[in-house]
């Protein structure tokens, strides 16, 4: 299965909202989302919790790969919502590591508006801190194996 396809479910909640991954590696994770009704708060603007969800998901996948496919656990997330993304707009999300330690990783996640006619405009910037030295439980081994296959294909 192509990681860029709508069927790829590296992260179930992101998949449900229509997020499509573009890159998955130890140094960069990215993807795109169209702002639909499912993602909006009452003013038809991207819900701040969805931006935080994207940050948590991208940072966790990246940290999992960077740790050599150990289990990761997010321990802190901070987010600044710089400008709104309106219903119908396209959002590009990118994430990269700030620090990769044996136990703790810190990842930066940035969301951008991507109108072709305009310069990219930042929607939010997040920092996610993760513990990345935990053993993988048996029930999660299959999904990590699946993730490994996708990463090696890219
Ligand atoms: C918070 C800001 C409006 C502050 O902007 P500031 O004045 O500091 O900066 P700028 O003037 O440079 O503007 C930057 C950028 O903000 C947009 N903007 C500014 N003013 C307005 C405005 N009056 N109305 C709409 N948008 C405005 C404008 O697009 C500017 O961009 P440019 O492209 O023109 O440069 C601003 O920082 C901001 O809008 N931040 C984003 C806030 C946001 O989207 N937060 C997340 C969603 S809120 C949420 O999640 C939420 C959840 C709920 O469950 C709710 C439930 C019930 C009610 C509300 C809920 C809710 O809001």
């Amino acid at each position: 299965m192509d990681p860029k396809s709508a069927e790829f479910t590296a992260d179930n909640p992101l998949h449900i909202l229509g997020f499509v991954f573009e890159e998955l590696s130890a140094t960069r994770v990215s993807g795109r989302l169209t702002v639909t009704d499912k993602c909006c708060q009452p003013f038809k603007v991207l819900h701040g919790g969805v931006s935080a969800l994207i940050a948590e998901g991208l940072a966790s996948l990246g940290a999992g790969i960077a740790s050599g496919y150990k289990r990761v656990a997010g321990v802190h997330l901070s987010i600044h919502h710089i400008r709104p993304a309106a219903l119908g707009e396209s959002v590009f999300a990118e994430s990269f590591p700030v620090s990769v330690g044996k136990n703790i990783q810190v990842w930066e996640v940035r969301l951008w508006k991507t109108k072709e006619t305009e310069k990219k405009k930042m929607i939010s910037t997040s920092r996610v801190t993760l513990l990345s030295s935990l053993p993988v439980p048996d029930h999660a081994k299959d999904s990590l194996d699946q993730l490994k296959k996708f990463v090696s294909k890219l």
Side-chain angles (χ1 to χ4, degrees), residues 41-43 45-48 81-84 121:
Q41 39 93 308
F43 303 113
V45 161
L46 179 65
H47 195 295
H81 302 290
I82 312 264
R83 57 170 54 78
K121 285 186 168 183

Side-chain angles (χ1 to χ4, degrees), residues 11-136:
D11 182 305
N12 270 333
L14 288 183
H15 179 70
I16 288 164
L17 294 176
F19 189 90
V20 177
F21 284 90
E22 283 193 357
E23 297 164 279
L24 267 172
S25 79
T27 53
R28 191 170 161 82
V29 181
S30 68
R32 290 178 195 273
L33 176 79
T34 300
V35 181
T36 62
D37 265 330
K38 276 189 205 160
C39 317
C40 284
Q41 39 93 308
F43 303 113
K44 306 239 176 258
V45 161
L46 179 65
H47 195 295
V50 173
S51 302
L53 176 71
I54 294 172
E56 180 79 33
L58 270 56
S60 298
L61 283 163
I65 299 165
S67 71
Y69 300 94
K70 297 213 169 65
R71 179 181 181 171
V72 303
V75 292
H76 183 79
L77 187 154
S78 70
I79 186 161
H80 286 86
H81 302 290
I82 312 264
R83 57 170 54 78
L87 181 64
E89 286 192 303
S90 301
V91 172
F92 174 65
E94 61 178 354
S95 179
F96 53 88
V98 176
S99 169
V100 177
K102 287 189 202 76
N103 296 292
I104 298 282
Q105 295 188 32
V106 180
W107 281 66
E108 168 79 21
V109 185
R110 293 179 184 158
L111 268 56
W112 303 87
K113 292 209 233 193
T114 57
K115 268 191 199 155
E116 274 173 26
T117 50
E118 278 179 18
K119 200 172 157 237
K120 279 200 315 183
K121 285 186 168 183
M122 195 184 283
I123 298 163
S124 65
T125 165
S126 304
R127 281 284 160 113
V128 188
T129 307
L130 310 105
L131 182 61
S132 59
S133 52
L134 298 165
V136 178

